Each structure stands twice: as C-alpha cells, then as structure tokens.
Amino acid sequence: MKRNRGNLKSGKLLMWKLCGIYTLAIVIPGLILCLIAIRAAKHEDAFLEKQLETTFSAELTQSVYGVELLLNQIRTELDSTVPQNGESGDALALWDSSAALVDVPFLFKRTGSFLRPDVKRVSEKEREFLTFNTDFFMDRKMVEVYRSITEEYLDTILTARAKTQSMQKPDRKEAARKLAESEFEIDKDVQNRVYSDLKKRGKLIPYRNVVSGNKSSVKVEAYSPQLSTYVSESMRFSQIVAVASSGLIPRIIDEQFMLIYWKKRANGYITGCSIDIDQLAQRITGALPQMLTPVRFLTVLEQSGRPVFSGSSFTPKDWSRPFIAREISRLLPRWEAAVYLVNPEEISSRARMATLSLVTVAAVLFMIILTSGIVLLVSMYSEIRLARQKTTFVTNVSHELKTPLTSIRIFAELLKERRQPDPVKQERYLGIMLSEIERLTRLINNVLDFARMNKGTRKYNKKVCDCVELCRELVENQRVRLEHNRFVLETVYEQGPLVVNVDPEAIKQALLNVLSNAEKYSSSEKWIKVSVTSRRPYLTITIEDRGIGIDQAQSEFIFKEFFRVDDSLTARVQGTGLGLTITRQILDDHGGEIRYQRNEPSGSIFLITLPLYMESYRGE
Ligand code: ADP
C-alpha cells in the first residue's frame, strides 16, 4: 500500500521535474532567443539607415573635399590670369571675355574709389555690383566672414579627445583639422561645449537651412533646427585684405550670393572680379560624383536651400529635409552638399519585410521547439512511467498471488487436521478453496495472456455454449467465498439458453476479472449484482457494485495496460493494472465490448456485450 502511494507521489514528482527541466533548458532560452531576435529586427530600419548613412557620408566628405579643392583651384586660376594693370580697362575687358569665371571685373584704388567699372558707362550687372559693394569696399559696411568652428576650436576639441581617448594630437595641421571635424560631428558633448562657449563670447552662430537626418526610424517631431559649423564675424574690407595678397570673399545680400575675387597690387590698387555663379555651379557639378544613382540623389544646395543646378529628373518632397547633408566651405556660407533617398519608403518596407520574416521564423522555431519539447516530454514521461510500472508489476503480481494462496493453505490445513467435523462446513471449505484456485488461475492467466497478447499469439478454443449457464457456473463458484467474506451477491438471469460461440475459459477469465474488481474495490456496502439479458443480436452481462467507484476523468484510462486509478482508496488494494486490459482484449477478439458506467449513488457498473450465436435464433 505504501509502495503504491509512493509510486503515485514519485510519478507526480517526476512529471514536475521533467516540466522544470524542459522549462529551464528549452522554453526559457528559446523565448529569450526569440525576444532578442525580435528586438534586433525592430531596429532593422535604423540599422539599414545607419549603413546607408555611412556610405553616403563618405561620398559627402569626398564631395565637400572636391568642392574645396575646386575653390582653391579657382583662386589659383584667377591669380594667374588677373591682369597686372587694369587702368585702361582693356586688360580687364580681355580678362572678362577670356576667363569664363569672371562676371564683373573691377579695379579698386585702396585710398579712394572704384576705377573700374567706370561709373559713367556701366552695364546693368556692373551697376548692381557697384550698388552692392561700394560701401563695403570703402569700409563703410562690414561683411560677415565665416570661420569653421573646428578650426576655431581645434585645440579645445583635440584636447577633449586626447583626455577621453588618451591620444596624441596629430602633428600635421590638415590631419588635425580632419580629426577635429569628425570629432565635432560625432560627439554631442564637444558640440555643446563649443557652442555654449561661442555664445558666451557673443559670436553669432547661424542656423543651417536644412535639417539633415531625415530618417524613417526617427520621428519628424524629434528634429530641431541645426546650428551651423561655421561661425561668422563682421569684418571690414581693409581688415580682410590686410592679411593676404589675394582671396575670395563670399557675400550674401538680400538672399543673393556673390563671390568676390581680389588681388592686391604693388601700387595700392586691388584688381578682382565677382564670380559668375552659373559657371561656378557648372564647375561644382563637375567636381561631384554621379548625382543620381538608383538609391540616392546627391546635390549642392545654395544659400536659400535650393539646388544650384537643376536638370535632374529627381525632386524630393522637401529640399530642406535631406537624408544627410554637410556644409561645404567657409567660402560658400549656408551652402550644403546634400543626399536624398530616391525611395525613402523602401528602407522602412525592407525593414518591415526583414522584421516580419525574422519574427515569423522566430515564432515558427519557437513553436517547433515547444511542440517537439512537449512530444519529447510526454513520450519520456510515459516511457519512464511504463518502466516503473513494469518493475512494480512483478512485485504486485507476487503480492496478489499470496492472498488466495494463504487462504487455500488455511482451509487445506483445517481439512487435513480434520478439525472441522461438520461435513456441510467441510464442503464449504472445499468450495472456497476451489474459488480461490479459480482466482489464482485467473491471475496467472492474466500474466501469461498479457505476454501472449503483446506478441499477438493468443489462441482461442471457441465452442457454441449457453452464456447464462457459463455465468451461473462462474458466479456460483465464487458465491461461497464472497458470502464467506460477507458479500451480498444478487443475480438476475434471463431465461436461457443465450447461445454464444466463445472460448468459455477466456470469457470466464474476463468475467472473473470484473467480478474480482467489484470485490476488491468494495466499500462498507458489500453488494454485487450480476445480470444477464439479451437484445438480439447481442447479450449483455452487467456486473454492478456499490464500491469506491471511479472518477469520471480517470474512467477512460482504466482499460489501458498497467493503469491504476491514482487515489488513496485504490492504493489500499493490490493490483497489477492488467485485468481490464485483458478483459477488453478478450471481448474484442470475440466481437464484443466492455463499457464502464458510474453507479448511483456510488460504485461502478461494467457492461459486457457479446454477439449471440446467429444459428441459435435464425430459424425463429
Ligand atoms: P487492477 O489489477 O489494478 O485491479 P484492473 O485492470 O483490473 O487492474 O483495473 C484497473 C483499475 O481500474 C484499478 O486499479 C482500479 O483503480 C479501477 N477499477 C477497476 N474496477 C473497479 C471497480 N469495480 N471499482 C472501482 N475501481 C475499479
């Protein structure tokens, strides 16, 4: 009894253990992996954009570098072509006609005024030039001169870098500038420090006219106007020309851009020109990489945020919202090199697709892990359970054999020692012994038949016989013993014969299994009823008891091999869990069946049906 309870407990414990191992080793790691994969996939668009940003950023750096080279080249070009004396005007006119970049050539006397263009005979564009520039050239108006923040703060930036990254400042000025530029671009702290310092010093930092970083992974509201990386300072013309021999001065007047080239001459004159912006735009176009690719459009925006050259079939939704952009040069203030995505939605749709497929794969994998784990768990559990049942089976069988054997021995000894002189009682003892022998035979047969059943080698000796008689004989053989054990045994038989074609021994074995259970699983009310009825083409043998009954949920398993109901009342009784399995097999083999029903108010009813032998009633 203790062993049975122990089995139940250890069975449950085993199930919990397996579930625990399964959850810890498979479900939790699987879930974590899936969640990591899904989280990673959620940032797919940001990842794709970052990749593109890196590629385009390299292109932009290249373009900005190209434009800067071009501006230097323009300056050298003009340095070498500018006429040495322009007083007569012919040399300037020749320069104007021969150098495409020259828009309005001028000659300025540093102490006075413009000698050229000649105020008396000016063209439209010359008048415009003079209107815009006379006050400035004569130091009556200042001009905004731009300096790159990274140049201005080169030391601050590089010291900050050296502090955080324990690095040496590069020796070459150009390399240091490049390093400071990239440091300023990526490090928000450095930016904030520099900008606040500039503000403290009263410097003016203009806003850029584009908001770069138009990404699908960032919400539109998250963008705020961006500060320029060039700081402006007002200077007079005389201050500018004092420090160099030639140069370029950018001016923005009423949103109009003008680039002025100047060169000092020995006699106190300054010769130069305003640069033809269309020519400049053309030269810049030539310095840029291919503008339109299937993925992006690269262009240069002028001071008002419009592209300097039209002519491409591509137009973005908003010029002021490029994917990325970079300011070009202090000589082209507010000009930006900008990249636009040809199909911005493609990134999010590609990211969505990637996320979707990853989530699907993760979900499918997780389902596979889950189901295969469950299948594995269930089969492992049933294998282990079966193995345990098989080991306890042998012990159970020997225990079950002991009860009838002890009973037989007691009565045999009583008879042998002739301690019971009453012949009626002697007869009863013999009856009990016979019925115990029948139970013993049934038990041994159960074990043997189970082995044969598994191999599929069980053979039946079928005979045509009266089932009522067969039942009566079996029940009456058991009656003496049952009544001796204080059972009330009721029987109801239909008027026979009810002819069946069966192996009588096998059917007896099946009936005895059920009858024995009614006896074994009895409660305080020891009552058993056996009835035989028929309804062509079947007869039904009903065996009822008022014992402990079977829980509805468990009742569907009682015909399974080795199954024993999992409760303390059953655990009190010895059993192998084979009786009903064999009974059902025997009935199956005879074209019959066995069913369980709950008895009200308590106990069980087993209904056994067998086909009547057709020949016995065909003629009726
Ligand atoms: P066992 O050798 O354990 O009796 P069986 O195959 O005959 O094996 O029965 C399987 C299980 O069904 C039993 O262990 C018991 O729990 C339950 N059972 C069978 N018959 C009865 C009954 N008449 N009353 C209550 N429980 C029963």
Side-chain angles (χ1 to χ4, degrees):
M1 178 175 104
K2 269 188 191 152
R3 195 183 46 254
N4 265 331
R5 263 188 220 155
N7 278 348
L8 299 180
K9 271 193 190 153
S10 66
K12 275 183 187 164
L13 202 71
L14 174 75
M15 192 59 186
W16 281 116
K17 255 191 198 166
L18 287 176
C19 285
I21 294 172
Y22 170 66
T23 318
L24 280 177
I26 299 175
V27 179
I28 294 178
L31 253 176
I32 293 175
L33 278 179
C34 290
L35 287 179
I36 291 174
I38 290 166
R39 266 184 76 92
K42 271 193 168 172
H43 300 296
E44 183 68 16
D45 49 352
F47 176 70
L48 286 175
E49 278 170 351
K50 193 83 210 146
Q51 270 185 334
L52 286 179
E53 197 179 320
T54 316
T55 319
F56 298 154
S57 172
E59 277 195 297
L60 277 189
T61 311
Q62 194 64 26
S63 312
V64 167
Y65 186 62
V67 175
E68 254 182 84
L69 276 184
L70 177 77
L71 290 170
N72 277 339
Q73 201 186 324
I74 286 175
R75 192 175 135 181
T76 334
E77 227 176 276
L78 293 171
D79 272 350
S80 60
T81 54
V82 64
Q84 288 309 307
N85 76 55
E87 286 87 335
S88 70
D90 296 345
L92 283 182
L94 190 67
W95 187 41
D96 185 11
S97 58
S98 62
L101 278 168
V102 177
D103 190 24
V104 177
F106 68 83
L107 178 68
F108 181 71
K109 195 173 175 192
R110 286 183 72 180
T111 49
S113 54
F114 280 105
L115 299 183
R116 294 275 179 269
D118 190 348
V119 199
K120 289 172 217 133
R121 300 182 278 119
V122 283
S123 66
E124 189 58 34
K125 62 179 182 179
E126 285 171 335
R127 182 177 309 118
E128 204 173 59
F129 174 84
L130 289 174
T131 319
F132 283 153
N133 295 303
T134 309
D135 282 351
F136 165 56
F137 273 66
M138 297 179 80
D139 275 351
R140 291 199 292 255
K141 234 186 198 167
M142 313 263 263
V143 72
E144 290 303 312
V145 175
Y146 296 87
R147 272 173 66 82
S148 154
I149 285 180
T150 44
E151 258 170 62
E152 181 127 343
Y153 276 87
L154 192 87
D155 283 337
T156 323
I157 296 169
L158 293 181
T159 320
R161 181 188 169 84
K163 259 190 211 149
T164 53
Q165 304 191 6
S166 63
M167 286 186 76
Q168 290 283 307
K169 268 200 276 176
D171 296 333
R172 273 184 34 243
K173 195 167 175 245
E174 185 57 19
R177 194 177 63 83
K178 285 235 166 80
L179 194 64
E181 241 170 44
S182 62
E183 203 59 25
F184 185 80
E185 199 172 314
I186 54 175
D187 196 332
K188 280 265 175 286
D189 281 351
V190 176
Q191 278 180 26
N192 292 340
R193 199 174 330 145
V194 170
Y195 281 131
S196 72
D197 198 50
L198 278 167
K199 270 186 200 147
K200 264 188 231 149
R201 284 166 45 194
K203 299 260 177 173
L204 208 75
I205 315 144
Y207 280 110
R208 293 169 64 175
N209 50 20
V210 298
V211 180
S212 85
N214 180 13
K215 298 185 184 102
S216 59
S217 56
V218 183
K219 286 207 175 80
V220 178
E221 308 86 67
Y223 295 108
S224 51
Q226 289 165 358
L227 286 170
S228 168
T229 52
Y230 290 94
V231 59
S232 70
E233 191 181 352
S234 302
M235 281 178 102
R236 290 178 201 291
F237 182 63
S238 57
Q239 287 174 303
I240 300 170
V241 298
V243 292
S245 61
S246 70
L248 291 166
I249 304 172
R251 296 198 66 198
I252 298 172
I253 310 140
D254 299 337
E255 279 302 305
Q256 220 178 315
F257 178 70
M258 188 175 275
L259 189 60
I260 298 166
Y261 165 76
W262 60 270
K263 185 170 182 181
K264 275 196 282 190
R265 279 169 48 188
N267 55 6
Y269 285 99
I270 289 175
T271 322
C273 66
S274 65
I275 287 172
D276 187 314
I277 299 298
D278 289 342
Q279 274 300 315
L280 181 71
Q282 263 184 36
R283 299 276 293 261
I284 288 178
T285 320
L288 293 181
Q290 192 188 354
M291 285 172 66
L292 186 63
T293 71
V295 189
R296 60 104 185 103
F297 175 66
L298 190 149
T299 189
V300 167
L301 306 173
E302 36 87 301
Q303 70 288 343
S304 59
R306 305 293 308 167
V308 284
F309 29 76
S310 44
S312 167
S313 54
F314 178 81
T315 320
K317 266 197 209 139
D318 184 353
W319 285 107
S320 68
R321 300 283 313 281
F323 181 64
I324 56 169
R326 187 160 307 162
E327 287 172 290
I328 300 179
S329 159
R330 67 185 179 85
L331 297 176
L332 299 172
R334 313 198 63 204
W335 282 40
E336 303 257 355
V339 167
Y340 300 84
L341 293 179
V342 171
N343 191 356
E345 282 76 40
E346 198 181 310
I347 290 190
S348 34
S349 70
R350 259 170 65 186
R352 254 201 311 278
M353 273 309 290
T355 313
L356 198 74
S357 34
L358 211 91
V359 169
T360 319
V361 169
V364 169
L365 280 181
F366 187 68
M367 286 314 289
I368 292 174
I369 292 176
L370 207 73
T371 37
S372 56
I374 289 171
V375 170
L376 210 75
L377 204 71
V378 169
S379 67
M380 237 166 90
Y381 176 70
S382 52
E383 280 302 313
I384 296 175
R385 212 177 118 120
L386 202 69
R388 285 189 173 190
Q389 282 169 337
K390 279 181 180 164
T391 28
T392 49
F393 167 71
V394 179
T395 335
N396 284 352
V397 169
S398 14
H399 272 272
E400 264 214 276
L401 291 179
K402 251 189 188 170
T403 324
L405 266 180
T406 318
S407 168
I408 293 168
R409 209 183 67 207
I410 292 170
F411 288 110
E413 277 172 5
L414 277 177
L415 289 176
K416 189 180 169 231
E417 287 163 14
R418 297 184 207 289
R419 277 198 261 147
Q420 183 53 267
D422 184 352
V424 182
K425 282 198 174 157
Q426 281 179 1
E427 193 65 23
R428 238 180 80 209
Y429 290 175
L430 281 173
I432 293 172
M433 282 166 71
L434 269 176
S435 116
E436 292 287 21
I437 289 168
E438 211 164 23
R439 282 212 309 155
L440 210 56
T441 321
R442 171 193 73 93
L443 277 172
I444 294 165
N445 280 346
N446 272 356
V447 178
L448 291 177
D449 290 345
F450 179 65
R452 280 191 215 124
M453 220 169 70
N454 272 350
K455 283 192 217 150
T457 54
R458 174 147 200 191
K459 289 207 171 65
Y460 294 101
N461 248 334
K462 287 193 182 172
K463 274 189 215 152
V464 175
C465 58
D466 177 7
C467 195
V468 177
E469 218 30 64
L470 188 146
C471 284
R472 196 192 309 266
E473 193 188 318
L474 175 95
V475 171
E476 291 318 309
N477 280 347
Q478 295 300 313
R479 183 185 288 281
V480 208
R481 192 176 51 80
L482 285 171
E483 284 177 351
H484 178 78
N485 290 340
R486 300 186 207 300
F487 272 87
V488 174
L489 181 62
E490 276 181 32
T491 48
V492 179
Y493 300 121
E494 195 178 294
Q495 188 68 41
L498 295 178
V499 185
V500 286
N501 183 19
V502 296
D503 178 337
E505 287 315 308
I507 295 298
K508 269 191 198 168
Q509 185 189 354
L511 293 178
L512 203 51
N513 280 343
V514 182
L515 196 61
S516 264
N517 281 350
E519 181 192 350
K520 280 199 301 186
Y521 302 107
S522 63
S523 59
S524 51
E525 195 176 348
K526 294 177 180 284
W527 175 88
I528 297 174
K529 181 176 173 188
V530 179
S531 40
V532 182
T533 52
S534 77
R535 195 162 169 207
R536 281 176 198 167
Y538 291 104
L539 68 78
T540 306
I541 306 163
T542 314
I543 300 175
E544 290 173 61
D545 66 59
R546 290 192 187 141
I548 59 174
I550 301 169
D551 186 61
Q552 197 60 41
Q554 308 234 34
S555 65
E556 50 186 296
F557 304 113
I558 55 176
F559 299 102
K560 283 195 168 169
E561 59 192 48
F562 299 118
F563 181 85
R564 306 206 68 223
V565 169
D566 198 353
D567 63 26
S568 53
L569 287 177
T570 308
R572 280 207 309 250
V573 183
Q574 295 294 339
T576 55
L578 283 184
L580 289 181
T581 316
I582 286 164
T583 304
R584 189 167 69 172
Q585 185 63 47
I586 293 172
L587 290 164
D588 268 1
D589 295 344
H590 284 84
E593 63 169 25
I594 175 165
R595 278 178 295 124
Y596 167 81
Q597 254 179 28
R598 216 188 135 65
N599 201 2
E600 294 304 338
S602 68
S604 314
I605 305 175
F606 282 91
L607 298 153
I608 295 167
T609 39
L610 274 171
L612 286 163
Y613 185 54
M614 229 199 299
E615 299 298 320
S616 65
Y617 60 84
R618 188 179 270 162
E620 286 175 23

